[in-house]
Amino acid sequence: MRKKIIAGNWKMNMTPSETKELISKLKSKCDTNDVDVVFVVPSIDVTTAYECLKGSNIKLGTQNFYFEDKGAFTGEISANMILDAGATYVIIGHSERRGIFKEDNAMINKKLVKAHKAGLLPILCCGESIELREKNTYKEFISEQIKSAFNGISENEAKNTVIAYEPIWAIGTGKTATSDQAEEVCAFIRDIIGTLYNDSVKNEIRIQYGGSVNAGNAKELFGKPDIDGGLVGGASLKEEFASIVNYKS
Ligand code: PGA
């Protein structure tokens, strides 16, 4: 049985002071062992969030990093900085990084390789645009994203990767993929992992759905056999996130 993982992607929201406030509202309600809960906060909020989350089971992550160890990379943060500040997860290849900041599959592969070498737990995002969905070529596109991201990743590292399937047309739009659409792609991704590795990686790797997940649709989405939780944007900034974490009750 794969443990569900529910991560809140705060994006570029919350100052350190606001971080304290939001965590004080969410901490006790999200502190569970039934699912893995991750708050993926802006890098500048990690230290504050770490202090606020002490004593709970909630894990911390950042939304990006750079694959070099240190040096002249103005504006970037390294894997070791993230780990030393108390975060253990990192999102890689979010569609906003791919689209707005022009990160390509080659860059995302370097980040996935480095995250594992450094001991970070990556949440690797993939997903198609509305154009590719309408042209019915989304599977080829996602297959390419996955194959190129996992280039050079060992079997054990693959097992410790979380994949988030996030159709771009469902992100921040209120237009959730239906649970059948989400399940179809998550199962498809699991099959690709099976062909790249073997059945044990295929059965152990966790695949989330992301894109307008909310308290009303979480239970149905997470009830699908190949959906192992969610990557939640907008709703992770509200008390609603606690209802998503506790989707079973
Ligand atoms: P959303 O964002 O839940 O606001 O659609 C999800 C994401 O981009 O990770």
Side-chain angles (χ1 to χ4, degrees):
M1 264 302 277
R2 296 180 295 266
K3 192 173 186 184
K4 303 267 187 219
I5 173 163
I6 299 175
N9 174 10
W10 290 14
K11 308 197 178 184
M12 197 173 76
N13 296 291
M14 300 290 147
T15 62
S17 324
E18 291 165 342
T19 295
K20 278 188 200 163
E21 246 175 84
L22 181 60
I23 293 183
S24 74
K25 288 189 194 137
L26 289 177
K27 184 177 170 182
S28 62
K29 294 181 194 144
C30 294
D31 187 9
T32 171
N33 242 328
D34 297 344
V35 299
D36 285 333
V37 179
V38 190
F39 289 1
V40 189
V41 305
S43 312
I44 198 144
D45 296 332
V46 171
T47 306
T48 305
Y50 180 78
E51 287 304 317
C52 297
L53 290 172
K54 264 190 185 158
S56 79
N57 292 302
I58 301 166
K59 301 289 188 301
L60 259 177
T62 65
Q63 302 162 16
N64 186 32
F65 80 113
Y66 195 56
F67 55 79
E68 295 286 357
D69 284 330
K70 57 161 76 173
F73 304 103
T74 302
E76 295 296 324
I77 59 166
S78 73
N80 279 342
M81 292 173 188
I82 295 171
L83 287 161
D84 192 61
T88 44
Y89 285 83
V90 66
I91 294 178
I92 296 177
H94 190 280
S95 61
E96 286 148 21
R97 300 290 324 165
R98 292 178 191 259
I100 303 168
F101 301 101
K102 308 289 173 243
E103 291 192 15
D104 59 11
N105 282 344
M107 158 82 84
I108 286 155
N109 172 245
K110 284 185 180 165
K111 289 187 175 188
L112 193 62
V113 168
K114 182 65 189 188
H116 281 297
K117 295 280 172 280
L120 276 168
L121 294 165
I123 299 176
L124 170 76
C125 299
C126 63
E128 81 285 2
S129 63
I130 190 68
E131 291 77 19
L132 295 180
R133 166 73 44 178
E134 283 169 356
K135 271 200 278 177
N136 206 22
T137 54
Y138 57 98
K139 284 190 177 165
E140 290 88 328
F141 180 78
I142 290 164
S143 168
E144 184 52 37
Q145 285 185 323
I146 297 293
K147 285 179 183 160
S148 93
F150 279 86
N151 190 14
I153 298 294
S154 74
E155 187 180 317
N156 207 36
E157 290 168 340
K159 284 182 184 173
N160 285 313
T161 305
V162 175
I163 298 175
Y165 167 55
E166 297 205 309
I168 298 169
W169 46 272
I171 295 179
T173 57
K175 199 177 160 195
T176 324
T178 65
S179 56
D180 286 340
Q181 285 174 321
E183 166 63 18
E184 184 210 25
V185 180
C186 290
F188 171 71
I189 293 169
R190 196 175 300 288
D191 283 341
I192 298 171
I193 294 296
T195 57
L196 291 178
Y197 297 93
N198 51 42
D199 275 358
S200 118
V201 182
K202 175 180 166 175
N203 293 329
E204 276 183 50
I205 196 165
R206 294 188 292 179
I207 305 177
Q208 301 173 310
Y209 166 78
S212 300
V213 173
N214 59 42
N217 57 30
K219 191 171 183 178
E220 185 178 340
L221 285 162
F222 303 166
K224 289 287 178 183
D226 288 292
I227 303 180
D228 305 314
L231 183 57
V232 185
S236 71
L237 300 167
K238 305 185 238 172
E239 291 193 58
E240 181 178 1
F241 189 65
S243 309
I244 298 173
V245 166
N246 297 293
Y247 69 97
K248 276 192 187 147
S249 49

